[in-house]
Amino acid sequence: MGYSNVEWLAGIKKTRQRQSVLSVLEGSSVPLSAGDICAQVRKDGEKVWLSTVYRILELFVKKGIVTKISMLNNDFAVYEMNRFEHKHYAICLSCRKVVQMDNCPMEKFIPQLEDNDFYVTGHKVEIYGYCKKCNTQG
Amino acid sequence: MGYSNVEWLAGIKKTRQRQSVLSVLEGSSVPLSAGDICAQVRKDGEKVWLSTVYRILELFVKKGIVTKISMLNNDFAVYEMNRFEHKHYAICLSCRKVVQMDNCPMEKFIPQLEDNDFYVTGHKVEIYGYCKKCNTQG
DNA sequence: ATTACTGCAAAGCATTTGCAGACTG
DNA sequence: CAGTCTGCAAATGCTTTGCAGTAAT
């Protein structure tokens, strides 16, 4: 598996583990958990420890190239490349499948907040229900 | 503090702990964590163990009278009475203040999902930013 | 050679579970 | 009295932290 050809981040050491984590994230169209990423990196033949993956993800989030998302029921967090496209997801309550949503409800929405001077910097939207498969199977 | 005068749930034993948890939830205008609830019940002079609070909350959620919400960064879950008003919140990134939002972006929104047959049962919306106080203080 | 990064182990936290004793209906 | 609920302790699962050795510049 080839490494990212994105310019490497300034002032940060380019290690095998970091390149691998980045590569896995770039190759995925769905957000991944730290465990997923760790498993994938190992499957790609690279040694890495889970705690290291967490540290790398934390770094990437801080550098702004990765976004951390907390899914339904706050079981665990998932991460995805910050592709600067605004994305939200629908999650199947049965099989946990993550389905991408192509539009955003917040685009033309003005929140009516009790605190009039709340300065909004971001939002999180999540839809849940049942995917085609689970809905059909009952 | 008086107990709820809502009719008690059928087939469920009415214990001091359950009444206290319900009472605390009813008396709160913001969602509370299990720990918050436990502390409040104890402050009200009732003995309760945290694991019991979790069990009670799980029961209430299953019975449909309480809603579980997972807040930003999936630190921990919060619970609120299911008042059958659709509510969302804005959370201050600095002081964690929870501000109620009086409208809902999903009302007139049709999600464009990659899985055309996704059956939507619910959603979660969360806004974050800085409250008046934190925004002013810098 | 320095300094940053990783492996590994162990701790931390919210939450869950098992079991015996206590309480409700 | 029978069945359910709670106290308590211990386990669980994701995530974080400490430290010494390893690798990057």
Side-chain angles (χ1 to χ4, degrees):
Chain A
M1 166 161 296
Y3 288 140
S4 162
N5 37 19
V6 172
E7 237 175 278
W8 195 253
L9 300 96
I12 289 187
K13 289 193 178 168
K14 195 174 186 173
T15 67
R16 294 183 154 284
Q17 291 85 344
R18 286 175 181 180
Q19 288 175 99
S20 297
V21 168
L22 190 59
S23 171
V24 167
L25 281 168
E26 284 186 324
S28 174
S29 58
V30 292
L32 301 172
S33 71
D36 293 339
I37 294 166
C38 189
Q40 187 59 53
V41 168
R42 284 175 173 169
K43 202 186 286 176
D44 292 351
E46 205 65 62
K47 274 189 183 176
V48 78
W49 211 253
L50 184 54
S51 58
T52 303
V53 171
Y54 276 109
R55 276 190 277 230
I56 291 173
L57 289 170
E58 189 188 5
L59 173 74
F60 285 173
V61 169
K62 202 166 67 187
K63 289 289 170 183
I65 63 168
V66 164
T67 301
K68 181 180 181 178
I69 313 165
S70 62
M71 286 295 194
L72 210 64
N73 296 342
N74 63 304
D75 314 45
F76 48 82
V78 289
Y79 302 81
E80 69 170 350
M81 287 304 296
N82 191 353
R83 297 192 168 84
F84 300 104
E85 321 156 16
H86 202 80
K87 255 188 223 166
H88 299 298
Y89 301 92
I91 300 111
C92 177
L93 290 168
S94 170
C95 72
R96 298 239 147 200
K97 185 185 171 189
V98 175
V99 179
Q100 193 180 312
M101 177 157 60
D102 293 328
N103 52 353
C104 169
M106 303 299 280
E107 255 163 29
K108 291 165 188 169
F109 177 76
I110 297 150
Q112 238 174 284
L113 298 175
E114 288 187 331
D115 177 343
N116 289 335
D117 291 299
F118 196 97
Y119 174 62
V120 177
T121 61
H123 64 259
K124 197 171 76 178
V125 172
E126 216 171 277
I127 285 184
Y128 39 97
Y130 297 93
C131 73
K132 184 179 186 171
K133 202 173 168 185
C134 294
N135 203 23
T136 320
Q137 291 175 347
Chain B
M1 166 160 295
Y3 288 139
S4 163
N5 35 20
V6 171
E7 237 174 277
W8 195 252
L9 300 95
I12 289 188
K13 289 193 177 169
K14 195 174 185 173
T15 66
R16 293 184 154 285
Q17 292 84 344
R18 288 175 179 180
Q19 289 176 100
S20 297
V21 168
L22 190 59
S23 170
V24 167
L25 281 167
E26 285 187 323
S28 174
S29 57
V30 292
L32 301 172
S33 71
D36 293 339
I37 295 166
C38 187
Q40 187 59 52
V41 169
R42 283 174 173 169
K43 202 186 284 176
D44 291 351
E46 206 64 62
K47 274 189 182 176
V48 78
W49 210 253
L50 185 54
S51 57
T52 302
V53 172
Y54 276 109
R55 277 191 277 230
I56 292 173
L57 289 170
E58 189 188 4
L59 172 73
F60 286 175
V61 168
K62 202 165 67 186
K63 289 287 168 184
I65 62 170
V66 163
T67 301
K68 181 179 181 179
I69 313 165
S70 63
M71 286 294 194
L72 210 64
N73 296 342
N74 63 304
D75 311 44
F76 47 82
V78 289
Y79 302 80
E80 68 170 350
M81 286 306 295
N82 190 354
R83 298 192 169 84
F84 299 102
E85 323 156 15
H86 201 81
K87 254 187 222 169
H88 299 297
Y89 301 93
I91 301 113
C92 176
L93 291 168
S94 170
C95 71
R96 298 237 146 200
K97 185 185 171 186
V98 175
V99 179
Q100 193 181 313
M101 178 157 62
D102 293 327
N103 51 352
C104 168
M106 304 298 281
E107 255 163 31
K108 291 166 188 170
F109 177 76
I110 296 151
Q112 237 174 287
L113 298 176
E114 288 187 331
D115 178 343
N116 288 337
D117 292 299
F118 196 97
Y119 174 64
V120 177
T121 60
H123 65 259
K124 198 171 74 178
V125 172
E126 217 172 274
I127 286 184
Y128 38 96
Y130 298 93
C131 73
K132 184 179 187 171
K133 202 174 170 186
C134 295
N135 203 23
T136 320
Q137 291 175 348

